[in-house]
Amino acid sequence: MSTATAVAHPNIALIKYWGKRDAAVQLPATGSLSFTLGIAPTTTTVTLDPALAEDTGELNGEPMNDKEVSRVRRFLDLVRERAGGENLPKASVVSVNEIPTGAGLASSASGFAALTLAATAAYGLEQTPSEASALARRGSGSACRSIFGGLVEWLPGDDEDELTSHAVELPDSGLELALVVAVLSPGRKKIDSREAMRNTVETSPYFPAWVETVPGEIEQMKDAIAAADFTAVGQLAESNAMRMHASMLGATPPVRYWNADSVAALDLVATLREEGTECYATMDAGPNVKVICRPGDAETIAERFRAEFGDIDVLVSGHGPAAYLV
């Protein structure tokens, strides 16, 4: 039996991905730009087994639920198709997330990036990093960014060729960033990201404005990164996140991932700034708040969050690596 194991890290978008223009092949409505974390990776092992009648999946020591294993099977069908045909053996997938699953903390990004590398290696499908990124996108859009380390841009691609939509790693400009992740609610979110995106795209009058403004924000963010301008990076990231959530709140019915602790955390970030610790907040499709800061301020901010919120996990991360085979 052929087997392969891969490790990939979650990423947090500084300029967000929200909404698809082609859901069938996971083409995003706009590009996006992210920061790969150096903590809480996913480790995935794929083992080919001719005795299996269908693919099996295990996550964190438990069988995957129907929805999870269905997504994995669809993805493995795509890998087998590209690797040489439907008659290739089925696989068992064993995955461990070190970050809460389904809580808006990018577990699907690290999960499908790790699955991409492990599955293509197990099936003998050779891929460049760009090709692996485009393939990972088919499993989970943001997974294309977790193929790469550090600061990463996801190119929206050409409608005529879905393989042109992949991520690229940005040059190192010397910008020093850290991220403090306040895990305010580690449980699964009530609204699946795909469902929430679809609802926003179809019903929010604010979504077209979101699509119109994001490309310019990406260019501004790339300029700020190239100039190692921490203040500009933080301000852009915070405003972009708030606009993404505004587009969701305009949907019918409204999509609201915030809770009372989320609002309190956003207020705490504003208070820290007023007190002289420069930091900025960002939020994804979940209630948890991430704080963008300089590395030297990260532990101070983390301790402040622990003091304010009591018994919550507060994670601190710097730049993380590209996904890799073990």
Side-chain angles (χ1 to χ4, degrees):
M1 291 188 293
S2 177
T3 187
T5 299
V7 176
H9 289 72
N11 71 78
I12 299 299
L14 304 180
I15 300 295
K16 303 297 186 186
Y17 154 53
W18 194 251
K20 302 178 179 73
R21 69 182 194 274
D22 186 336
V25 291
Q26 295 275 84
L27 291 180
T30 70
S32 57
L33 196 152
S34 65
F35 177 75
T36 300
L37 303 184
I39 58 170
T42 298
T43 302
T44 298
T45 299
V46 174
T47 302
L48 309 192
D49 186 349
L52 288 175
E54 60 183 358
D55 300 309
T56 63
E58 178 185 297
L59 177 62
N60 294 340
E62 301 288 340
M64 291 183 183
N65 63 37
D66 290 344
K67 185 175 183 179
E68 289 165 343
V69 79
S70 292
R71 286 182 71 181
V72 166
R73 287 170 180 162
R74 287 194 300 271
F75 186 77
L76 290 176
D77 283 342
L78 181 61
V79 173
R80 284 187 286 263
E81 177 186 321
R82 295 185 180 184
E86 298 176 355
N87 295 324
L88 292 171
K90 302 297 186 181
S92 71
V93 175
V94 177
S95 192
V96 176
N97 278 341
E98 292 187 26
I99 204 161
T101 301
L105 292 167
S107 60
S108 66
S110 56
F112 274 95
L115 179 59
T116 297
L117 291 198
T120 54
Y123 281 105
L125 176 61
E126 294 186 2
Q127 299 264 278
T128 66
S130 293
E131 289 169 338
S133 176
L135 179 58
R137 188 199 78 240
R138 296 288 297 272
S140 174
S142 55
C144 75
R145 300 187 306 237
S146 280
I147 295 293
F148 297 96
L151 290 159
V152 178
E153 181 185 4
W154 176 7
L155 306 174
D158 184 341
D159 288 346
E160 304 304 316
D161 181 4
E162 58 100 355
L163 295 178
T164 59
S165 181
H166 58 81
V168 293
E169 189 169 337
L170 298 180
D172 183 359
S173 67
L175 176 67
E176 294 189 350
L177 287 180
L179 211 72
V180 176
V181 182
V183 186
L184 303 167
S185 179
R188 287 183 179 272
K189 54 199 176 189
K190 294 180 180 179
I191 310 170
D192 177 78
S193 293
R194 292 188 174 195
E195 177 187 341
M197 281 188 192
R198 183 169 57 249
N199 185 34
T200 304
V201 172
E202 292 176 355
T203 69
S204 175
Y206 306 133
F207 185 73
W210 162 261
V211 172
E212 183 178 345
T213 57
V214 167
E217 290 180 323
I218 289 175
E219 293 308 310
Q220 292 175 55
M221 182 65 81
K222 288 165 66 176
D223 289 344
I225 290 168
D229 186 341
F230 171 79
T231 298
V233 167
Q235 289 175 342
L236 281 163
E238 187 169 278
S239 62
N240 176 265
M242 296 304 103
R243 279 196 283 274
M244 180 185 78
H245 283 272
S247 75
M248 297 185 212
L249 290 168
T252 304
V255 177
R256 182 178 63 82
Y257 286 110
W258 313 46
N259 60 27
D261 283 345
S262 307
V263 176
L266 295 175
D267 287 345
L268 178 55
V269 171
T271 297
L272 285 163
R273 277 205 301 268
E274 291 168 2
E275 293 173 352
T277 301
E278 189 177 11
C279 57
Y280 301 89
T282 188
M283 290 180 66
D284 295 284
N288 302 298
V289 172
K290 298 91 175 179
V291 186
I292 301 157
C293 62
R294 293 183 173 92
D297 292 327
E299 286 298 339
T300 299
I301 293 167
E303 285 305 315
R304 186 68 173 272
F305 266 83
R306 293 183 186 109
E308 294 282 342
F309 289 92
D311 188 23
I312 65 167
D313 284 333
V314 182
L315 312 175
V316 176
S317 180
H319 286 227
Y324 59 91
L325 288 167
V326 175

